[in-house]
Amino acid sequence: MKPNKRNKPFYKQFLRLRKNIQDRPKLFKFKKQKWQNIQRYSKNQLKFYRRFQVKDQFQSSISKFASRGNSFQKKFRNNLYDRKLFSLFYGGLKRKYLKKHILKSIQTKQYGNGINDFRYQTLQFFESRLDTVLVRSKFCLSFKSSAQLILHGHVLVNSIPITTKSYILKPNDLIEIILNPKSRQLVKKNLDRSNFWPLPPKHLAINYRTLQILFLYTEDSNFIPVFNHYLNLNSIVANIKRS
């Protein structure tokens, strides 16, 4: 009989990418020597003048690797790194899912209000996912807990239970937590544990007393969320087109 394959721990993905892309505080609790470098780097990024620095998603890209070069191998490595970083930033999305929706946003020729950049269209789509909205509003501290809350039917959209974490929200959709004491207590506990950085985006009108979210996404560049990590979308597209 073949031995069962053990899944590697979730946090080893941060170790391979050398970046705490989801800002998980649990990463600092690991005591083995292999975690020391990424812990030191993450603590350095949590300094006051760096922690509250907003990353512009439309700036020119600079590779994380010192020897960027022009060879195919180095370009492929950089593009693959950026694609994995983007996938993990949104909870570990599959490559097939990323390819389908990013290429669809590139083919869209009309962006609205003079916005002719596919990067805005791409970010708008992924920020419209139900699980992403729950994480951005601090109702959930991770994409895993957000998915569990949705799959167990504790989230309502326009008074209708939604059990699909990839549900795409539309403007003026109302998201709320069901009137279940355990569910609401869990969300309030997450709010107490959150440090509220990055700040909840402008396209979410949040009522923390009633635990309701009004989705207000419009075709306006001022509604782009605040990111504390840079996502190189040009590099991601280059990797997806090769695959």
Side-chain angles (χ1 to χ4, degrees):
M1 295 179 62
K2 294 183 179 180
N4 294 328
K5 293 183 179 180
R6 295 181 59 188
N7 294 324
K8 292 184 178 180
F10 175 78
Y11 287 90
K12 282 192 175 181
Q13 299 179 73
F14 301 117
L15 190 63
R16 288 194 294 267
L17 295 175
R18 292 175 284 174
K19 197 169 188 179
N20 187 7
I21 188 66
Q22 293 186 7
D23 299 320
R24 294 288 190 97
K26 189 177 179 180
L27 187 70
F28 299 102
K29 297 181 180 180
F30 301 141
K31 298 181 180 180
K32 287 187 177 181
Q33 187 176 3
K34 64 180 180 180
W35 297 98
Q36 290 181 1
N37 289 334
I38 188 174
Q39 287 173 351
R40 192 181 304 111
Y41 173 79
S42 299
K43 286 181 180 178
N44 192 27
Q45 295 299 315
L46 289 176
K47 290 182 178 179
F48 183 82
Y49 67 95
R50 290 183 177 177
R51 182 179 182 182
F52 299 100
Q53 183 180 8
V54 178
K55 303 295 183 181
D56 183 10
Q57 301 303 315
F58 301 97
Q59 65 183 357
S60 58
S61 62
I62 300 176
S63 174
K64 181 180 178 66
F65 302 100
S67 58
R68 184 173 180 86
N70 295 320
S71 67
F72 174 81
Q73 184 178 5
K74 290 179 180 178
K75 284 184 177 180
F76 181 81
R77 179 189 63 180
N78 294 327
N79 296 340
L80 181 62
Y81 172 85
D82 291 327
R83 196 256 296 171
K84 289 184 176 180
L85 207 65
F86 183 86
S87 173
L88 193 58
F89 183 73
Y90 284 104
L93 300 177
K94 299 294 184 181
R95 180 183 60 83
K96 186 176 181 180
Y97 182 87
L98 290 176
K99 181 177 181 180
K100 176 182 177 182
H101 294 287
I102 290 179
L103 292 181
K104 186 177 180 180
S105 65
I106 295 175
Q107 295 171 359
T108 303
K109 297 182 179 179
Q110 185 176 2
Y111 298 98
N113 290 347
I115 301 174
N116 55 2
D117 197 326
F118 78 93
R119 292 174 292 184
Y120 175 81
Q121 192 78 3
T122 302
L123 292 176
Q124 180 184 10
F125 174 81
F126 287 101
E127 290 295 322
S128 300
R129 286 171 54 100
L130 182 57
D131 58 347
T132 304
V133 169
L134 292 178
V135 173
R136 298 287 183 263
S137 61
K138 313 302 178 183
F139 281 18
C140 297
L141 299 180
S142 66
F143 283 92
K144 183 178 179 180
S145 61
S146 175
Q148 289 178 342
L149 196 69
I150 296 170
L151 292 174
H152 288 89
H154 298 301
V155 181
L156 305 177
V157 178
N158 299 327
S159 302
I160 300 175
I162 300 296
T163 57
T164 305
K165 65 178 183 179
S166 60
Y167 180 84
I168 302 301
L169 297 167
K170 300 176 182 178
N172 299 323
D173 277 351
L174 180 64
I175 305 103
E176 52 189 339
I177 306 299
I178 62 172
L179 297 176
N180 185 338
K182 291 184 178 180
S183 303
R184 300 180 77 85
Q185 185 178 2
L186 177 62
V187 173
K188 290 180 179 179
K189 184 178 179 181
N190 291 335
L191 292 173
D192 293 336
R193 293 171 56 191
S194 173
N195 58 6
F196 279 91
W197 181 259
L199 295 173
K202 297 179 181 179
H203 63 268
L204 300 179
I206 307 171
N207 189 331
Y208 289 106
R209 288 188 176 181
T210 59
L211 299 181
Q212 292 178 324
I213 307 170
L214 184 61
F215 188 75
L216 300 173
Y217 224 134
T218 60
E219 298 290 345
D220 188 353
S221 59
N222 292 327
F223 279 74
I224 295 177
V226 173
F227 295 100
N228 57 343
H229 296 285
Y230 176 63
L231 307 174
N232 191 351
L233 289 173
N234 290 325
S235 178
I236 296 166
V237 171
N239 177 265
I240 286 177
K241 286 184 176 180
R242 285 198 185 104
S243 60

